[in-house]
Amino acid sequence: MIAPGPNRSTVERERTGRGGTGTSVSRIDVEHLDKRFDDKPVVKDISFSVPHGELCVLLGPSGCGKSTTLRLIAGLEDPSGGRILIGGQDVTWLPAKDRKIAMVFQSYALFPHLDVSDNILFGLQVRGVPKAEQQQRLQSVAGITGLKDYLARKPGQLSGGQRQRVALARAIVSEQPVCLMDEPLSNLDAKLRNEMRLEIRGLQQRLNMTMVYVTHDQIEAMTMADQVILMNNGVIEQAGAPADLYERPASLFAARFIGAPPMNLFHDRIPGQVLGVRAEHLVPAGPTGNGSDMVVASVEYLGADAMLSVRAVQGEQKDAVFVRVPGSRRAQAGERLALTWDPAHEHHFDAATGRRLEGSGARAEVLTQKH
Amino acid sequence: MTHQPAADSTAFAASAAGPARQSPWQRWSGSVEAWLLLLPSVVLLATFTHIPIVATLIDSFYSTPRPNRPSRFVGLRNYEDMVADPLFWKVMWNNAVYAVGTIPLSIALALAMALFVNDRIPGRGFLRMAYFTPTVLPMIAVANIWLFFYTPDYGLLDQVLRLFGVGATNWLGMQETALGAIITVAVWKEAGFFMIFYLAALQQIPPDLREAAAIEGASRWTFFRRVTWPLLAPVTLFVLVNAIINAFRTVDHILVMTHGGPDNATNVLLLMIYETGFKFWDQGAATALTIVLLAVLSGLALFQFVVASRRVHYQ
């Protein structure tokens, strides 16, 4: 839906021009940020940085503090402690309007009585941008977001996806170097969400925006982010590239939160440790009859592959173990099998703290010999 | 009974799509149902509103019946007498001043109070209640409270003013101050009532609109002018209709406080109708005055709904 035509030029030129003056221009640094509501801490001493032009996703379950963190960066909430820097400037106590940011709200926050063009131009009108420039920027942004035919409509006359585009257009037209997004796709249906994901990522890269994007949807996080910051209970569980979070989860929480299905965890195999193996790394083998055999409880056929839900025939393992097998392997419920895996794919976590343990591969290898 | 929903839907379809293939019986039975549903309201409106209006209009062309002289058709005589009466013009003027004095002031005050108690401030619940209290009081009670405020010398107002060296004033007894004093009471009584509507509407405005505007750099005033005020327009129209009707309808406090005096300085149209009709028993003059009142109100209502509602955004 992004029109790659000549219209995109003005916004893009200005944006890259601005970005070109220095790589730190819209870098975001969050330092030891704290936020309490009535003495109830919601954000606890978190620090992270977003380099200029990168898309950083704040990911986590609801109530983890990710939206509050975004609102602190936006200046919609005052922090209880810590600092926020945008482009090297301390903006911690600056009002929202002076932080050189644009924001897209989960509800879109469109003005219901204004038509699309007035909604998009609201900020420019408030800031007194000359009329001719307003029109030029409006045309350019309307072209980018595919809203050219809807400029005279009121938000109430638009579909959810179109409203989302208006909110996006309003953020883009301000030409601020930083764009904050608060669950922008959560009100759209699945198909539209997939489209908009690609579109927003494309826009962010083309316009060279520094973006902080809040979501609880790990697929959005994994597909869009340069950097994912996984939050839980007001603290950062793990920060890193999507592949880092998937391949080397730093905690049990990260291991369970990232990936569908969540990582399989075995609690009783190693004293003081939790062993984790992802579904696609478990390989079914013929039953051994030695007591550790498993039985297939259910089969979810997905086409390219199938997801087996497997339980122990007898004994301690209560939770189902998920095993991803090729779709061509016609698995049957009730089938007995043994599970094997390459020790290189094992993850070890401290049972007490939940943190990842490194360098315990050798011990694990011995244990897998039992299978 | 089971077929009825189907009959209903075809009736609706027919009315929406014009004449359809439908028997006259079907069309008739559909509309009978509709009429039956409307009947209670129609009966009530007709009995207490429409028929009296028509009767009043007819009566206004007849002379007042006297024991020895029955009422007879006099054409526009009642209206001619009315227009010739200087008291009529004084009362119209008073009513206009009363309307212009109460309506914008009470609406502005209502909006200001609503904006104030809509913010997160300490004691918000108490303030809301305090603002709303005058509405709960009967107008007669309000009038008596204010009678005390206005009492010369030892009334609240004069006691306060004495601190500033101002002498006793007979607020309700002087031509220059009486109408103003009456207007103040009406504003005090009405603003709290209108505030409730504004407050309800303000709470319908999502807070993220304000946040979005703040990020775009809009000041509080800009946000109010560009977003809050337009979004409140339906409420303003509603409140305006009510305020105008009230401006021509309330006489309670005037009756209690001044009885239209001194020298008709606080006499308004409805009070004049009441006195002409039920004190002087001059039916001809009273009906003519009533028709004027109805004409003024329907004219204003028409103006509001036709002209003003075009500029109002309904969600």
Side-chain angles (χ1 to χ4, degrees):
Chain A
M1 288 294 278
I2 301 166
N7 290 314
R8 70 183 201 194
S9 50
T10 46
V11 174
E12 203 164 354
R13 213 172 31 236
E14 289 203 26
R15 187 82 69 169
T16 46
R18 207 180 281 205
T21 54
T23 43
S24 69
V25 130
S26 62
R27 172 192 176 83
I28 301 170
D29 295 284
V30 171
E31 298 174 354
H32 304 291
L33 203 58
D34 264 309
K35 178 65 184 175
R36 288 183 295 275
F37 288 115
D38 302 327
D39 290 334
K40 184 175 160 276
V42 259
V43 173
K44 302 170 201 163
D45 189 29
I46 67 166
S47 301
F48 63 91
S49 294
V50 188
H52 174 81
E54 282 205 357
L55 196 159
C56 167
V57 168
L58 297 179
L59 176 68
S62 55
C64 73
K66 56 190 192 301
S67 277
T68 306
T69 305
L70 191 79
R71 291 170 59 81
L72 286 165
I73 298 173
L76 299 173
E77 306 278 355
D78 291 333
S80 309
R83 290 206 308 164
I84 300 160
L85 290 87
I86 295 179
Q89 188 198 359
D90 187 339
V91 299
T92 316
W93 299 104
L94 229 50
K97 68 181 168 71
D98 297 328
R99 296 192 178 197
K100 297 202 171 74
I101 51 158
M103 184 158 170
V104 175
F105 290 79
Q106 182 175 8
S107 66
Y108 313 143
L110 302 179
F111 304 116
H113 61 296
L114 299 179
D115 64 20
V116 169
S117 56
D118 277 340
N119 260 293
I120 296 175
L121 292 177
F122 185 86
L124 303 189
Q125 290 165 352
V126 167
R127 291 182 196 269
V129 172
K131 280 264 156 56
E133 191 189 334
Q134 283 183 21
Q135 283 311 312
Q136 191 194 347
R137 276 158 79 167
L138 173 67
Q139 290 309 315
S140 154
V141 167
I144 291 177
T145 49
L147 287 169
K148 281 225 149 119
D149 298 334
Y150 304 99
L151 291 178
R153 297 223 192 147
K154 297 270 174 71
Q157 297 165 302
L158 299 176
S159 69
Q162 288 163 342
R163 280 181 221 178
Q164 218 283 327
R165 280 164 193 281
V166 178
L168 204 56
R170 190 169 64 181
I172 296 170
V173 84
S174 67
E175 296 182 0
Q176 303 289 6
V178 171
C179 183
L180 308 176
M181 299 213 165
D182 190 4
E183 309 220 11
L185 305 184
S186 59
N187 291 339
L188 302 181
D189 62 52
K191 184 169 173 292
L192 214 48
R193 212 178 305 164
N194 290 347
E195 284 174 25
M196 290 306 292
R197 225 160 56 202
L198 293 171
E199 209 163 314
I200 290 175
R201 175 60 162 161
L203 275 173
Q204 178 267 329
Q205 288 181 322
R206 235 179 47 194
L207 303 177
N208 201 20
M209 288 187 270
T210 307
M211 189 178 276
V212 182
Y213 185 110
V214 164
T215 183
H216 62 262
D217 180 351
Q218 54 156 314
I219 298 174
E220 275 174 38
M222 300 304 264
T223 52
M224 297 174 75
D226 292 304
Q227 179 188 199
V228 177
I229 292 174
L230 179 63
M231 292 183 68
N232 186 31
N233 282 327
V235 297
I236 296 178
E237 286 279 340
Q238 186 172 8
D244 286 346
L245 269 75
Y246 190 78
E247 288 163 10
R248 298 177 52 77
S251 65
L252 280 172
F253 175 81
R256 296 288 294 179
F257 194 85
I258 306 278
M263 185 184 283
N264 297 304
L265 299 178
F266 304 95
H267 292 270
D268 304 321
R269 300 202 177 215
I270 312 165
Q273 281 194 20
V274 179
L275 171 68
V277 186
R278 292 223 177 261
E280 64 269 32
H281 295 139
L282 289 172
V283 184
T288 58
N290 71 354
S292 65
D293 279 355
M294 313 282 275
V295 62
V296 176
S298 66
V299 181
E300 264 186 289
Y301 178 70
L302 301 166
D305 43 27
M307 195 63 65
L308 311 185
S309 172
V310 177
R311 286 176 192 283
V313 174
Q314 46 176 257
E316 71 282 20
Q317 187 76 36
K318 282 182 230 80
D319 293 335
V321 174
F322 292 104
V323 184
R324 192 186 292 274
V325 296
S328 54
R329 185 191 185 281
R330 300 265 177 259
Q332 296 288 329
E335 184 183 330
R336 289 192 174 218
L337 44 79
L339 292 177
T340 63
W341 59 85
D342 179 346
H345 290 135
E346 288 184 357
H347 305 261
H348 297 268
F349 304 94
D350 188 308
T353 64
R355 305 307 299 178
R356 183 183 188 83
L357 297 168
E358 301 293 352
S360 49
R363 248 165 45 136
E365 207 166 345
V366 177
L367 277 147
T368 47
Q369 297 298 309
K370 284 205 291 190
H371 287 275
Chain B
M1 286 302 276
T2 47
H3 72 282
Q4 262 188 333
D8 275 353
S9 64
T10 51
F12 277 114
S15 62
R21 284 156 296 154
Q22 213 180 31
S23 73
W25 162 249
Q26 273 176 315
R27 219 174 306 157
W28 187 80
S29 70
S31 59
V32 160
E33 245 173 29
W35 279 110
L36 282 174
L37 287 168
L38 284 173
L39 194 64
S41 331
V42 169
V43 167
L44 283 172
L45 272 173
T47 315
F48 295 107
T49 307
H50 298 142
I51 293 171
I53 287 176
V54 174
T56 306
L57 183 65
I58 293 167
D59 282 347
S60 72
F61 298 119
Y62 284 82
S63 68
T64 306
R66 302 284 179 213
N68 53 346
R69 194 157 41 102
S71 143
R72 59 182 176 83
F73 184 78
V74 291
L76 293 174
R77 261 289 283 292
N78 289 327
Y79 292 94
E80 284 161 12
D81 291 348
M82 178 183 78
V83 173
D85 182 358
L87 180 60
F88 169 71
W89 293 107
K90 175 153 194 182
V91 162
M92 288 301 276
W93 173 251
N94 282 347
N95 220 144
V97 171
Y98 182 84
V100 170
T102 53
I103 295 166
L105 208 59
S106 56
I107 291 179
L109 201 58
L111 182 57
M113 294 191 304
L115 287 168
F116 183 54
V117 297
N118 190 43
D119 279 347
R120 275 188 226 147
I121 47 167
R124 182 168 72 164
F126 175 78
L127 269 174
R128 286 181 183 176
M129 192 193 69
Y131 286 157
F132 192 64
T133 307
T135 308
V136 186
L137 298 175
M139 194 55 156
I140 305 283
V142 169
N144 278 297
I145 294 170
W146 279 83
L147 263 182
F148 165 69
F149 289 173
Y150 286 137
T151 311
D153 209 26
Y154 58 87
L156 186 71
L157 195 56
D158 271 6
Q159 284 191 35
V160 171
L161 285 174
R162 194 182 305 143
L163 300 177
F164 300 94
V166 182
T169 316
N170 188 358
W171 297 100
L172 293 171
M174 299 198 309
Q175 298 245 11
E176 306 81 53
T177 52
L179 191 57
I182 292 291
I183 286 171
T184 308
V185 177
V187 169
W188 183 81
K189 168 106 169 102
E190 284 198 330
F193 183 54
F194 296 152
M195 177 198 76
I196 291 297
F197 295 106
Y198 274 125
L199 192 56
L202 281 172
Q203 292 183 347
Q204 295 296 309
I205 298 178
D208 47 17
L209 291 189
R210 182 184 289 275
E211 292 173 351
I215 286 175
E216 303 280 8
S219 64
R220 271 179 87 96
W221 166 244
T222 310
F223 181 74
F224 176 78
R225 192 174 51 84
R226 293 283 316 270
V227 182
T228 312
W229 179 245
L231 287 180
L232 291 177
V235 179
T236 304
L237 181 67
F238 172 79
V239 163
L240 194 62
V241 172
N242 273 279
I244 289 179
I245 291 172
N246 281 352
F248 287 93
R249 203 188 58 175
T250 43
V251 284
D252 319 28
H253 62 310
I254 298 179
L255 266 172
V256 172
M257 296 175 81
T258 63
H259 227 289
D263 190 20
N264 290 309
T266 55
N267 201 348
V268 291
L269 192 53
L270 191 59
L271 185 62
M272 188 181 178
I273 292 170
Y274 171 74
E275 301 218 301
T276 313
F278 299 104
K279 279 198 151 164
F280 313 140
W281 295 106
D282 187 347
Q283 184 192 292
T287 48
L289 286 168
T290 306
I291 293 300
V292 169
L293 179 62
L294 285 172
V296 168
L297 284 179
S298 22
L300 286 169
L302 212 62
F303 171 80
Q304 281 177 335
F305 284 114
V306 174
V307 180
S309 65
R310 264 190 226 142
R311 303 162 55 98
V312 171
H313 168 81
Y314 288 97
Q315 299 242 355

